[in-house]
Structure formats: structure tokens, C-alpha cells
Amino acid sequence: MTKETEYAIEVDKLTKRYGNLLAVNDISFTVSKGEVFSLLGPNGAGKTTTVEIIDTIRTPTSGKVSLLGMDVTKKKHDIVPRIGVLPQGFSSFDRITVRETIQYYSRLFCCRNTDIDGLIELVNLKDKTKEQYKKLSGGLKQRLGIAIALVNDPEVVFLDEPTTGLDPRARHEVWEVLLGLKKKGKTVFLTTHYMEEAELLADTVAIISKGKIIAMGSPGELVESNANYLVLRLQSVDEKVFEIARKMGFAPVLDNHKNIAVRLEHTDDVQKILNAIKDAGALYLGLDVRKLNLEEVFLKLTGEALREDPPQMEEQ
Amino acid sequence: MNPRIISANLVVKLLSFYREKSAILFTIAFPIILILVFGTIFLSQDNVGYHLCLQDLDQTNSSAQAVKTLELNGKFKITRVDPAVNAKQYVMDNKVNLVLVIPKGYERSLMQRMMLNDFNASVTITYIYDPSSSSVTTKMEILNSVLAGINQGMSGKPPFLRSVERSILTKKYRFIEFFVPGIIAMAVMTLSLFGTVNSDTELRQKGVIRKLSTTPITRTDWILSNILYQFILAIISTIAMLLVSYAVFNVSLHINAWLLAFILLDVFAFVGIGMILTRFVKEAQSAAAAANAISFPMMFLSGSFFPIELMPGFLQTFAKTLPLYYVNEGLRASMIFEDHMAALRYSAIIGVFAAVVFILGIIATKWEEGH
């Protein structure tokens, strides 16, 4: 029996173990219909295990997961025709063309009315319909993967790290497609370790670390609730600036490039520090005042970098 | 089971095969090359002609007549060796394996025996030979039988013990006719085993199977489409092998329903083994090595290339434990001898084996990522 619910996905106390490894540790959350939900975390945080349990690829150790009102462990055959999945590291048959691949998956879903041309247009692969899969670039392959995930006009779309390994241009091309899905009102479950991806696309972001969800909310809410202060950064300062800020009662941080970052609770503090520097005759080359971004919130919450190449402090 | 899904999968597999030129080459060309090479090597096996070097030290009309008798026997193509040379040195210098030496005094001894009825008069024919040659023993045995025939003829009395050959077959078959069914069995085994192992491990490693597990295709649909695909390839490959065999070697083989039955059983048995292997071997490279470890002993020990009767007793016993042996024997029973009872017996054995490994293969095939 399918239970009518306002939620597309309901996860309750989900746990997954691989032997002694606790990959997902007692997590609970819900995803509303029409919502773009992003699970954000570094490699090995438990994102893929979580999404693969929800989209029926894996089975949970304990806990309950409902998808469209159905238990994923018991109703796989009823669920599968109603969802679309782009698994992590998506791949397809090397020698089959773009159009043939979409047709193949459409036939697997026994869809007689799939708008193949519409899908090709949606993912912007019109010029590549006769190209074999193995000859496509990484970005084109991912776009084809998204088209395949949509052949059955699914109610919920799962995209597991859809832009990992792509160059910035290809990533933006995929984002364009995902924004199109958002406009169409699809429920999208997105896992990523790209902060800008989550900020751009997601209505709700859940930060997962070591198998636990440690924060959840809209990108704005997460920043607001976890970073209600400003950061003043001064580029290439002389040593006096550091001392001035310290004597004013702030806790400045000096990096390897002689940049100073100062945490400020109030907007007025910016002017106070700049005036003190000016009065002392000290010098700086540039300045930047801003709130923490989601990535820095993540760092603050988990103490881990999202990627292996965490962004450095920007040069002014 | 969904026929629409099975046909979709089959189309994708056939298209992939058609577009992979190297796969076509190995599937169709390799067994044909084997048939052409082995068929040519053994083309004249039924009319074996040995090269025989002969040194006539007597140089008389009688010794020349003896040489002619050997030539007329048809088994030997004779090269005459100069009586002045050392026969032993000749063997070593010319890399021949045997020189037959007719001694001086041959005609004199013959006259003594024939004209004077001196039964003590005899001639010793010497074989100067290289024992390291593998075929020299056979050559000497044939020479001995020819000499025995000459001796018997000279006695002027009909032989007491005679022999007559009566084959159990309606006709004598040639080596190529023995060889072709073996190559068909081997080619179908290789196709099915490597096709399953390579394709499944590659698709699993690349994540295609994981993607497919999120679609309505079931494990049964996947396996059935794979069986159909391998069966179609096996039929294409068999037709190509038979066409070449008929065109080049004019083979006389019976094409009947047994051929289809044995190909199908061969496919089921080795797709089943392939599925079991895929369960335990994760990487494509190790999978190919594991498939080789199974197929090589099968190829050489199950009688695909030569009769197992040529092997030592313990290997013959081992050969009879190999499934390919029963496909070989079954195909030969039906294609060469038209022995339907034997074909039925062999098909029953390979049928039971195929059913068991195929069921185990289905159980072993991991479709979902599971627990």
C-alpha cells in the first residue's frame, strides 16, 4: 500500500555498517515533494551509502526509509519505475550512441512515450546524438547520465556527485541542466562535496560528517545560524596592524602571506580598526569584509575540509 | 521476465559486438584460422608418405628391383644415397633420421636362395638411424612390415594367417572431419566463458550494473538476454567454421538438430561457469586469467584437437571429468557417425552438468549491491 504523504523521502534512524565500519550512523531527515535536497560532505562521510540505500541499490543495517510513501526494502519493484538515478561514477555501454542509450533505458522502463528528442535537448546533447558513449567527454557523459535518469519522467531524481571530476566549464553545464530540473518542480536528492553546487541548487542542505548529519537547513539558514559574525581581512600588512588589532581586544590571525583575518561581532568594529590603523600610520594593500560562506561553516562544524584541495584565503 | 527488456538488452549487446571489430575478429576469425592451419597440416594424413634415404651397396639388377618394390609400396618417397659415402655420416650431415642400407652381395645371396634353394642364404638390411627423431620408430615398423611381405612372397606359399579390415563405420573419416566438431565445441566454450566473464566484470567494474539495478531489469532478464546473445554468436561462429570447412576441405559432416542442441548446452554450461567466476573475481584482468585457467586444460585435454586415446591412462580418466569432452564426443557422434543414441547419452551428461552450473551461476550472480 502506498501511503499518501507530503514527503517524497522519509529517513528514520538509518544506520549502515560494513563489518566494523559504521558508514551511516542513526540519521533522520525528510525531503518534501518538489524540494531540491543536498547532502553535503567530504569523501567517505557516508553520502553515497545514504543515497544508495534510499534509491534501493543497497539495503540498510537498521532504520526505516520511505520513498514516495513506500518502504525501500520491501517495495523496490514499485519504487524503481517512479525514480531516476544517476549513480556515482556513472558509466554506460561504450559502443552505443547517445540516442541509442536513451532509447535503451527507455525500453527498460517500458516507456512508450519517452520524448527522446526533448531529453536530448534538455541536456543539450543535440549535436552528439550519433556519438558513441566512449567518445564523449566527462561532462557530456554526465549530461547523458542525467537524461537517462529522466527517461521515465521520475517523481524523484537522485544525483550522486553529478559533477565530481569535471572541469569548471563542464560543471557549469551540468548545473544548467539541474537548474532546469528545479524549474520543472522535480524532487531532487543531490549529493556533492562542492559547496557552490549546494548553495546554487539546493533548497535544503544537510551536512554529513563521519556518518552523522551535523547540521541541516537552507544554505542561508546554515550560514546565519553558524556564522553570525564578520571577517575582516587585510592584505600584506606591516607588523603594527597585527599589534593594533590585538591591543583593541580582537583575536587576529596571521597567515603565511602576511594577511590578517579578524573576527568581528559588529559592523562598527570595521571602522574602528581601520581608523586605528590610519592613526598609527600603518599600511595595508587591500581589505575585504564578509560573512562566512557555507564552506567555512562546514569547516567550523566538522573540522574537516570538504575536498582534498581546500580553498586558500583569497588574495586581494 | 519481460521480453521487451530482454530484447532491448540483446539489441544493445549485438550492437556493441558489431561495432567492436576486434571482438568480431576473435569470435569468427580465430576458430577459422585454427581450422585452416590444422586442416592443412593434416590434409594428407591419410596418405602419409615417408621420406626414405636408401644406399644400395650392391648396385645390381636384383637390388634395383628391391628398391622399386619399396617405391611401389607407396609409403615411401626414396632418395638414393651414393654408395661411396659413409651412411652414418650422411645421416648426421643431412639431418635425416634413417638410411636403409642394402649390403653388397645382395644379388648373390638372392640367387643362392632362389636358384639353389639354399635356405641358409640371407641378407641383412641395415637401418642407420637417429634415435632422437620421433617418427623414426614408425618408419622402421613400416619398413619391417614391407620386408616381411617380401619374405613371405619369396616363400612361394600363401600365408596361413591373413587379416582383413572391417570398419565399424560406413565410411572412413578424415582428420579434418574429426577436428571440426572439436573446434566448434572449443570455440563455443571460449565465446561463452570469456564473453560472460569479460562483459560482466567490465560492466560491474564500470558501474553499469549498479545503474541497471535502479531500472526495472531483473537478474533473470539480464541472464536470459546474455544466454540468447551468446547463443546467437555461437551460431554465427559455427556457420562460419562449417562454411570454411566445406569450401576448403570438402568435409563430409552431418548437420542435424543435435548440432543446435550441443551448441545450446555448451553455451549454458560455460555461461554458467562464467557467472560463477564473475561472482568471485572482481577485476576484469583477474577474471580473464581465471577464465584462461579453466579453458586451457579443457581445450587440450578434452579431445578437441586430438583423440584422448593418444593420452596416458590417467589423463584419459581426467579428460572424462571435463564437460567439454562430452560436447566434443556428442558433436562427433552426431556429425561424423550419425549415432543418435550416443549423441543422446552425451547430451544427457552435459545437459545435467549445464543445468547444475547454470543454476549455481544464477544464484551466484550478484545484481544488487546487497548488504
Side-chain angles (χ1 to χ4, degrees):
Chain A
M1 278 286 287
T2 305
K3 188 176 67 180
E4 269 310 313
T5 166
E6 62 180 298
Y7 298 117
I9 300 166
E10 293 166 85
V11 175
D12 185 28
K13 295 178 180 166
L14 174 65
T15 295
K16 177 72 181 180
R17 282 182 180 279
Y18 299 108
N20 290 329
L21 177 74
L22 188 57
V24 177
N25 184 7
D26 193 30
I27 63 173
S28 301
F29 60 87
T30 55
V31 179
S32 300
K33 286 179 179 167
E35 183 180 354
V36 177
F37 183 94
S38 178
L39 199 55
L40 183 70
N43 290 333
K47 301 187 299 294
T48 294
T49 301
T50 304
V51 73
E52 287 190 347
I53 290 169
I54 302 170
D55 66 23
T56 75
I57 293 177
R58 292 180 191 277
T59 48
T61 305
S62 65
K64 192 177 174 202
V65 179
S66 292
L67 181 52
L68 299 166
M70 294 176 277
D71 187 329
V72 293
T73 59
K74 293 175 185 159
K75 296 278 184 182
K76 178 178 169 110
H77 293 292
D78 296 323
I79 290 171
V80 160
R82 295 173 64 183
I83 63 170
V85 180
L86 175 73
Q88 192 181 76
F90 161 78
S91 185
S92 191
F93 301 94
D94 280 342
R95 295 285 182 185
I96 304 301
T97 66
V98 166
R99 175 175 284 279
E100 288 164 351
T101 304
I102 298 174
Q103 280 170 337
Y104 166 68
Y105 279 94
S106 168
R107 291 182 74 187
L108 293 189
F109 280 96
C110 298
C111 301
R112 292 178 194 280
N113 305 317
T114 305
D115 179 7
I116 307 277
D117 291 322
L119 282 174
I120 289 170
E121 205 158 323
L122 177 74
V123 296
N124 200 14
L125 283 174
K126 227 173 169 181
D127 301 334
K128 303 285 178 184
T129 52
K130 290 181 180 166
E131 202 78 74
Q132 290 179 9
Y133 177 78
K134 70 180 292 185
K135 292 180 182 163
L136 299 177
S137 67
L140 297 182
K141 283 177 178 172
Q142 286 301 84
R143 274 147 61 181
L144 174 61
I146 294 169
I148 289 169
L150 300 173
V151 286
N152 53 330
D153 192 19
E155 292 164 58
V156 185
V157 185
F158 292 90
L159 305 167
D160 190 4
E161 301 198 5
T163 58
T164 297
L166 301 187
D167 60 45
R169 187 181 159 190
R171 196 177 302 154
H172 278 90
E173 286 171 356
V174 172
W175 288 349
E176 287 298 319
V177 177
L178 300 186
L179 283 168
L181 291 185
K182 193 173 177 176
K183 274 184 199 159
K184 285 178 108 182
K186 295 277 180 201
T187 306
V188 178
F189 191 102
L190 172 76
T191 74
T192 182
H193 55 213
Y194 291 113
M195 192 61 59
E196 58 273 41
E197 191 164 294
E199 275 184 313
L200 177 73
L201 300 168
D203 300 312
T204 304
V205 175
I207 295 177
I208 186 167
S209 173
K210 293 169 186 164
K212 276 271 190 199
I213 289 181
I214 53 174
M216 190 156 65
S218 70
E221 285 167 358
L222 283 174
V223 171
E224 206 57 50
S225 57
N226 291 287
N228 49 355
Y229 53 84
L230 300 169
V231 176
L232 167 66
R233 296 192 299 177
L234 295 163
Q235 189 192 6
S236 294
V237 295
D238 65 33
E239 286 171 9
K240 279 192 273 183
V241 174
F242 186 86
E243 278 304 310
I244 291 164
R246 204 174 57 79
K247 282 180 181 167
M248 289 174 76
F250 299 106
V253 178
L254 187 66
D255 74 6
N256 293 337
H257 304 286
K258 286 193 172 181
N259 297 317
I260 280 183
V262 190
R263 175 177 162 164
L264 306 171
E265 301 300 329
H266 308 289
T267 317
D268 298 348
D269 293 338
V270 177
Q271 201 55 50
K272 282 181 191 167
I273 289 183
L274 293 180
N275 288 340
I277 292 170
K278 192 179 173 187
D279 294 346
L283 294 172
Y284 58 88
L285 295 176
L287 66 87
D288 170 43
V289 183
R290 60 173 179 79
K291 282 195 162 185
L292 286 192
N293 62 25
L294 202 51
E295 186 140 5
E296 286 157 330
V297 169
F298 182 88
L299 274 166
K300 180 191 163 200
L301 289 170
T302 65
E304 287 180 85
L306 269 167
R307 285 167 284 171
E308 286 168 4
D309 55 340
Q312 300 296 312
M313 198 172 176
E314 288 168 26
E315 299 288 332
Q316 298 293 308
Chain B
M1 192 180 80
N2 186 323
R4 194 178 153 85
I5 290 177
I6 292 171
S7 69
N9 220 31
L10 186 60
V11 168
V12 159
K13 280 171 176 281
L14 288 171
L15 272 177
S16 298
F17 172 74
Y18 173 70
R19 289 171 185 164
E20 188 71 58
K21 303 297 175 216
S22 60
I24 296 177
L25 181 79
F26 281 105
T27 304
I28 295 174
F30 179 63
I32 288 177
I33 290 167
L34 275 181
I35 286 175
L36 288 174
V37 169
F38 281 87
T40 307
I41 289 171
F42 293 103
L43 188 62
S44 56
Q45 201 198 35
D46 296 324
N47 297 304
V48 179
Y50 286 102
H51 176 224
L52 176 65
C53 296
L54 188 146
Q55 188 180 42
D56 179 5
L57 297 178
D58 199 42
Q59 295 291 314
T60 58
N61 284 340
S62 299
S63 63
Q65 185 61 41
V67 174
K68 200 165 186 184
T69 307
L70 278 172
E71 271 180 324
L72 287 174
N73 178 273
K75 294 279 185 191
F76 301 105
K77 190 185 169 201
I78 292 174
T79 301
R80 284 170 177 78
V81 178
D82 186 347
V85 304
N86 180 303
K88 189 177 171 186
Q89 198 59 45
Y90 183 87
V91 167
M92 290 192 285
D93 292 347
N94 292 281
K95 307 265 184 272
V96 294
N97 58 10
L98 184 141
V99 172
L100 181 150
V101 182
I102 298 175
K104 200 163 178 54
Y106 173 85
E107 188 174 61
R108 188 165 36 85
S109 298
L110 182 67
M111 289 306 150
Q112 275 182 287
R113 166 71 73 113
M114 299 297 286
M115 302 298 177
L116 305 173
N117 284 335
D118 178 359
F119 294 111
N120 290 322
S122 67
V123 171
T124 302
I125 301 288
T126 309
Y127 303 149
I128 310 285
Y129 73 101
D130 175 5
S132 66
S133 164
S134 57
S135 64
V136 75
T137 314
T138 312
K139 195 188 272 188
M140 286 195 288
E141 280 169 6
I142 294 169
L143 278 170
N144 285 340
S145 71
V146 172
L147 295 184
I150 293 172
N151 277 332
Q152 207 279 321
M154 284 172 68
S155 72
K157 291 175 183 170
F160 172 63
L161 292 175
R162 294 172 187 273
S163 64
V164 61
E165 292 175 5
R166 279 193 191 144
S167 171
I168 57 165
L169 309 176
T170 49
K171 70 175 183 60
K172 194 178 177 190
Y173 67 89
R174 295 180 295 152
F175 173 78
I176 188 70
E177 285 151 1
F178 167 88
F179 188 67
V180 170
I183 290 297
I184 290 174
M186 185 213 74
V188 174
M189 170 195 76
T190 314
L191 272 177
S192 308
L193 183 61
F194 282 84
T196 304
V197 167
N198 289 345
S199 152
D200 280 10
T201 45
E202 190 195 336
L203 293 177
R204 187 172 298 284
Q205 218 174 334
K206 284 171 68 182
V208 178
I209 301 279
R210 192 164 33 157
K211 167 65 194 168
L212 288 174
S213 76
T214 66
T215 71
I217 187 171
T218 61
R219 188 171 60 169
T220 312
D221 296 330
W222 176 257
I223 291 169
L224 282 176
S225 61
N226 191 30
I227 284 283
L228 263 175
Y229 167 69
Q230 300 297 352
F231 184 62
I232 290 169
L233 290 198
I235 294 290
I236 293 170
S237 175
T238 303
I239 289 171
M241 283 186 272
L242 285 173
L243 284 177
V244 168
S245 304
Y246 279 106
V248 179
F249 300 110
N250 192 28
V251 291
S252 172
L253 292 167
H254 302 282
I255 310 297
N256 48 38
W258 283 116
L259 176 60
L260 275 183
F262 277 105
I263 291 174
L264 190 63
L265 292 172
D266 204 357
V267 168
F268 265 95
F270 288 98
V271 166
I273 293 176
M275 289 192 296
I276 295 169
L277 273 186
T278 310
R279 177 73 170 86
F280 299 105
V281 187
K282 306 292 178 203
E283 309 254 326
Q285 279 179 329
S286 351
N292 270 324
I294 287 181
S295 66
F296 268 96
M298 209 84 82
M299 251 184 236
F300 294 107
L301 299 178
S302 66
S304 287
F305 295 116
F306 47 82
I308 66 162
E309 287 74 19
L310 296 179
M311 299 191 296
F314 74 96
L315 276 182
Q316 288 187 38
T317 310
F318 177 69
K320 287 175 185 172
T321 65
L322 301 174
L324 193 63
Y325 168 78
Y326 296 95
V327 183
N328 286 329
E329 293 303 303
L331 280 175
R332 285 183 186 127
S334 66
M335 294 177 80
I336 302 174
F337 311 127
E338 271 196 303
D339 183 346
H340 300 299
M341 283 314 292
L344 182 67
R345 205 165 51 244
Y346 290 122
S347 68
I349 297 169
I350 188 66
V352 169
F353 177 82
V356 170
V357 291
F358 190 68
I359 290 166
L360 289 176
I362 291 174
I363 295 166
T365 298
K366 204 176 161 197
W367 190 242
E368 287 145 18
E369 297 293 327
H371 309 276

